[in-house]
Amino acid sequence: METTSNPSAVPNKRLDRKPRVVVTRRLGPAVEDRMGELYDVTLNASDMPLTRDQLVEAIQDCDVLVPTVTDTIDADLIDAAGKNLGLIANFGAGTEHIDLKAAANRKIIVTNTPGVFTDDTADITMAGIIGVPRRVREGVELIRSGEWTGWAPTAMLGRKLGGKVLGIVGMGRIGQAVAHRARAFGLEILYHNRKPLPVAIERMFGATYVDNLDDLVAKADILTLHCPSSPDTRKIIDQRRIELMKEGSSIINTARGDLIDQEALIAALESGHLAGAGLDVYPDEPNVDRRLIGHPNVMTLPHIGSATREGREESGMKVIANIRMWADGHRPPDQVLSGLD
């Protein structure tokens, strides 16, 4: 997510008191302790997502709201904000759950924490890129069931990675980090993006730009998604595009659950058109379709792409830095484009 200056939304002077901060989820002891030292902070000890009524109450009585991806900060909620709310300091890079235009109309700054989870998410993506073709989940289940009868020349045959085509949809920070890792496994890297990367970067990753997404989907042995959720990207991988994929190919999604038409994905898995999938995100979290859980070669992870101690703490410290700069009357370092700038 890009950032830019929005002078009209920057306070004229620093606050003459500790900012009143409401945090919607647990952020870890180091982050919460530091917030307690610096701010008049209200924490969510239960770590359960706040209800709509609780969010309304919170947003009416604070200078700064610190939400996460589990909070829907829409126009109606922002309209209900108290007069003191000046900053929505999001914990995480994605801001599709926040109505940026509504915030800008109220002269409320929105910040995020970009770049923190790049490597963590790329690592989990590689777990799927490796694990699905090699049938790792199925092998684990075989051992746990007690039904493994030992090695055999034709048992548990998967697909090798070297020489296969990895199609990357969205070549931002995470997509590039995946390309960097995938190259070491001998994968041929094709990518689709809003625009091609500079030639020097393409050469560094050994990546080739494919202008038409349909062409990328049809060429990929493994397709991995790394784009944000938006009206343009929801169900970007729909039934038609899944049908374009190679027989026996696989799909990995560690970005957002609504990028894939889930019913079309399940149908392709059940028919055998797709050999498997690696999923860390779902369209109706925390609910996961039982058909995905039951498929022997679908790796279903509980949205842990960014779940490292180091990454989460760094993200929290970025939130603190954004609040401090705002409270001092300066532009926060991670201010998000409002859509009106």
Side-chain angles (χ1 to χ4, degrees):
M1 182 67 69
E2 298 177 25
T3 59
T4 189
S5 175
N6 183 1
S8 64
V10 176
N12 294 325
K13 59 181 181 180
R14 61 181 295 167
L15 292 181
D16 57 4
R17 54 179 171 76
K18 284 186 175 182
R20 177 97 173 81
V21 178
V22 173
V23 182
T24 66
R25 300 296 297 268
R26 296 302 303 270
L27 300 185
V31 174
E32 292 180 349
D33 289 349
R34 186 59 175 149
M35 283 187 168
E37 294 170 359
L38 295 172
Y39 313 129
D40 176 10
V41 63
T42 299
L43 302 172
N44 178 2
S46 74
D47 200 32
M48 295 298 294
L50 299 184
T51 66
R52 183 71 173 190
D53 288 344
Q54 288 172 324
L55 277 173
V56 169
E57 182 180 355
I59 208 167
Q60 289 176 339
D61 187 34
C62 64
D63 302 299
V64 180
L65 182 72
V66 181
T68 73
V69 69
T70 60
D71 303 302
T72 300
I73 314 298
D74 56 25
D76 289 341
L77 186 69
I78 290 170
D79 285 344
K83 61 182 178 61
N84 289 331
L85 183 70
L87 175 65
I88 299 173
N90 188 61
F91 179 88
T95 56
E96 63 270 18
H97 56 294
I98 302 172
D99 191 319
L100 300 178
K101 290 185 178 180
N105 286 332
R106 284 286 306 268
K107 295 192 179 344
I108 297 168
I109 291 176
V110 177
T111 59
N112 65 345
T113 60
V116 174
F117 301 126
T118 298
D119 286 334
D120 301 332
T121 306
D123 290 344
I124 284 292
T125 301
M126 286 305 302
I129 289 172
I130 299 166
V132 173
R134 294 304 304 272
R135 300 169 65 184
V136 167
R137 176 193 166 170
E138 195 172 348
V140 169
E141 294 294 336
L142 186 62
I143 292 288
R144 288 182 173 176
S145 70
E147 296 177 2
W148 185 47
T149 58
W151 182 89
T154 58
M156 287 294 299
L157 299 182
R159 305 288 181 96
K160 69 183 298 179
L161 292 181
K164 296 298 191 298
V165 175
L166 176 67
I168 301 176
V169 183
M171 199 66 159
R173 290 187 183 96
I174 296 173
Q176 290 179 37
V178 170
H180 173 69
R181 287 157 172 77
R183 191 177 188 189
F185 286 84
L187 285 155
E188 178 186 348
I189 299 163
L190 306 181
Y191 76 97
H192 175 78
N193 210 34
R194 285 176 294 180
K195 57 183 179 181
L197 297 173
V199 172
I201 295 178
E202 287 186 337
R203 287 176 179 166
M204 181 170 63
F205 296 126
T208 301
Y209 178 67
V210 179
D211 178 65
N212 188 290
L213 180 56
D214 287 357
D215 291 342
L216 178 76
V217 165
K219 293 174 180 177
D221 296 295
I222 306 167
L223 188 71
T224 182
L225 309 181
H226 301 288
C227 43
S229 173
S230 71
D232 292 333
T233 62
R234 287 182 191 123
K235 295 188 179 180
I236 192 171
I237 305 301
D238 56 10
Q239 180 180 343
R240 183 183 66 81
R241 286 195 167 121
I242 289 174
E243 289 174 352
L244 289 175
M245 295 179 69
K246 293 178 181 179
E247 238 2 87
S249 60
S250 57
I251 188 165
I252 313 299
N253 186 13
T254 60
R256 289 291 183 261
D258 62 4
L259 300 179
I260 303 175
D261 183 329
Q262 183 166 272
E263 285 299 320
L265 172 63
I266 291 170
L269 289 165
E270 291 181 340
S271 71
H273 176 67
L274 294 182
L279 306 174
D280 189 42
V281 289
Y282 310 90
D284 186 29
E285 294 183 16
N287 301 309
V288 180
D289 194 291
R290 301 302 302 181
R291 293 170 292 176
L292 293 172
I293 297 171
H295 191 283
N297 199 26
V298 175
M299 294 177 63
T300 47
L301 299 175
H303 203 150
I304 58 171
S306 64
T308 66
R309 295 177 186 273
E310 298 88 347
R312 295 282 171 86
E313 184 169 316
E314 185 180 349
S315 183
M317 294 304 175
K318 269 185 170 281
V319 169
I320 289 171
N322 284 317
I323 296 173
R324 292 189 73 173
M325 291 294 285
W326 173 81
D328 284 342
H330 304 300
R331 173 179 173 256
D334 299 309
Q335 184 173 335
V336 177
L337 281 167
S338 68
L340 300 179
D341 299 308

